[in-house]
Amino acid sequence: METVVENSFEFLHELRREADLSGMPLSSQGAGQDVAELIDEAYTLGVLGERFLEGCDRLRVELQPVWTEQPVVKELAITLTADPSGETLTSRFAAGRWLRSCQTTALELREAGVLGEGQTAHSMLLALRRRQPPALELPPLAPPPWSEQPLEALGIRRLADGTLDPDRPVLISQRLVRETIERCEASDTTETGAAVLGKLLRLPQPLPGTSTRFVTVLTALVDDPRHQGEPLSFHFSPAGLADAAQFADVRGLGEHVLTVWHSHGWSKACGNCNQNANCPLAECKPSLQDYVLLESLLSSKATLLPITGRKLGAEGRRPVLRLYAWRGGRLRPIGWQEYVP
């Protein structure tokens, strides 16, 4: 598939002491590749919504900043048009990898004493109009692998608790959900994790309440002693993930290593992490480490990230499993439904 990008801007991300363009920036870097990553996300969103699967010999990409005040970008509108079908999809992005880069830079500046503890660092994306802007190096745009089969082919007998996201339905094995919660509790404040097997299916018909036939099914965890956890961090072994892929082949269900799961810690001492606003353990939200993990090991924008841990205000005295998907340039929580094999 040929991809043509229509773009008149050079993109920069800057870190500043003030939330405007006064003074010199603390840091300034090119953000063209960060924008190219958003094009990949927009394309994947279109594929999962069944927009660009047929009749797409050429994909035209138009980039249009939505200004806070020129040249500061509030959002970036990315419009994809498939030729010759004419199918069009516009997605808006208020975030991207530049925000995470700025967070990392801010931490480094604080450690160096350039930023004081009470000082705020403001990140911003700039779009500078150019007659010949730098070319964007796009990642390969290709649909994720999927199978055309019904849920019964994976041994799914019935659906249970949960609510599906209309444009990104996900089913998770009831056993997998239970295991993540039990392992999070047993591991206490030390993070634990495993590879996650599953399949992307295209069903004969969309599930009730959804708008696409594509359904992601997360089926099983695969442990490996080479994955190592510590309080506030977890490290996955690439070799361990490769062996998990071989294990998936042996199971003979057509599964792949779709993602990884990890916990963010839980205190067995009090068991009140969901209600304690002063709990020092991280909530089950993606960290900067989690973003680095996905972008280095699982770079497809179809990748999901399940995390188990404390969620302030959640009911009960047990850890909570939350599922994150790429939305608007960052990982956001989405709904999912359990299934009974």
Side-chain angles (χ1 to χ4, degrees), residues 68-80:
T68 298
E69 181 180 356
Q70 290 194 40
V72 182
V73 179
K74 178 182 180 181
E75 294 181 331
L76 186 63
I78 299 180
T79 299
L80 306 181

Side-chain angles (χ1 to χ4, degrees), residues 22-36:
S22 61
M24 293 294 292
L26 295 166
S27 70
S28 181
Q29 300 180 49
Q33 291 314 111
D34 299 350
V35 171

Side-chain angles (χ1 to χ4, degrees), residues 187-259:
S187 191
D188 200 47
T189 57
T190 297
E191 294 189 8
T192 185
V196 180
L197 303 186
K199 292 183 76 171
L200 178 62
L201 303 180
R202 188 159 74 159
L203 306 179
Q205 297 292 332
L207 291 174
T210 68
S211 58
T212 174
R213 290 180 291 162
F214 278 114
V215 177
T216 305
V217 183
L218 304 183
T219 57
L221 300 179
V222 181
D223 293 316
D224 193 290
R226 289 169 288 187
H227 305 319
Q228 294 292 317
E230 302 171 7
L232 302 179
S233 67
F234 194 82
H235 305 279
F236 285 95
S237 161
L241 296 179
D243 285 353
Q246 292 185 345
F247 176 74
D249 290 339
V250 172
R251 277 166 61 97
L253 297 175
E255 299 158 305
H256 307 279
V257 175
L258 288 190
T259 186

Side-chain angles (χ1 to χ4, degrees), residues 126-314:
L126 307 181
L128 308 177
R129 192 175 292 276
R130 299 284 190 250
R131 293 184 65 181
Q132 291 185 319
L136 300 180
E137 296 181 16
L138 293 181
L141 300 183
W146 80 83
S147 299
E148 298 260 1
Q149 58 184 174
L151 295 178
E152 292 77 12
L154 273 179
I156 296 176
R157 292 190 293 113
R158 63 179 177 87
L159 303 184
D161 296 335
T163 302
L164 296 176
D165 196 87
D167 64 352
R168 188 67 203 275
V170 179
L171 301 177
I172 306 180
S173 162
Q174 200 172 64
R175 176 179 175 180
L176 188 155
V177 175
R178 183 178 67 251
E179 287 181 350
T180 67
I181 293 172
E182 292 173 350
R183 293 184 189 192
C184 179
E185 289 176 320
S187 191
D188 200 47
T189 57
T190 297
E191 294 189 8
T192 185
V196 180
L197 303 186
K199 292 183 76 171
L200 178 62
L201 303 180
R202 188 159 74 159
L203 306 179
Q205 297 292 332
L207 291 174
T210 68
S211 58
T212 174
R213 290 180 291 162
F214 278 114
V215 177
T216 305
V217 183
L218 304 183
T219 57
L221 300 179
V222 181
D223 293 316
D224 193 290
R226 289 169 288 187
H227 305 319
Q228 294 292 317
E230 302 171 7
L232 302 179
S233 67
F234 194 82
H235 305 279
F236 285 95
S237 161
L241 296 179
D243 285 353
Q246 292 185 345
F247 176 74
D249 290 339
V250 172
R251 277 166 61 97
L253 297 175
E255 299 158 305
H256 307 279
V257 175
L258 288 190
T259 186
V260 293
W261 159 80
H262 69 293
S263 69
H264 271 188
W266 184 263
S267 174
K268 292 189 291 187
C270 72
N272 199 37
C273 295
N274 291 335
Q275 280 70 45
N276 183 2
N278 298 315
C279 180
L281 296 173
E283 291 191 66
C284 49
K285 300 177 180 178
S287 64
L288 283 176
Q289 273 190 334
D290 296 332
Y291 279 101
V292 171
L293 167 71
L294 289 197
E295 290 167 348
S296 59
L297 290 180
L298 299 157
S299 59
S300 168
K301 294 304 178 181
T303 300
L304 301 163
L305 182 65
I307 305 175
T308 305
R310 64 180 293 263
K311 180 179 181 295
L312 188 61

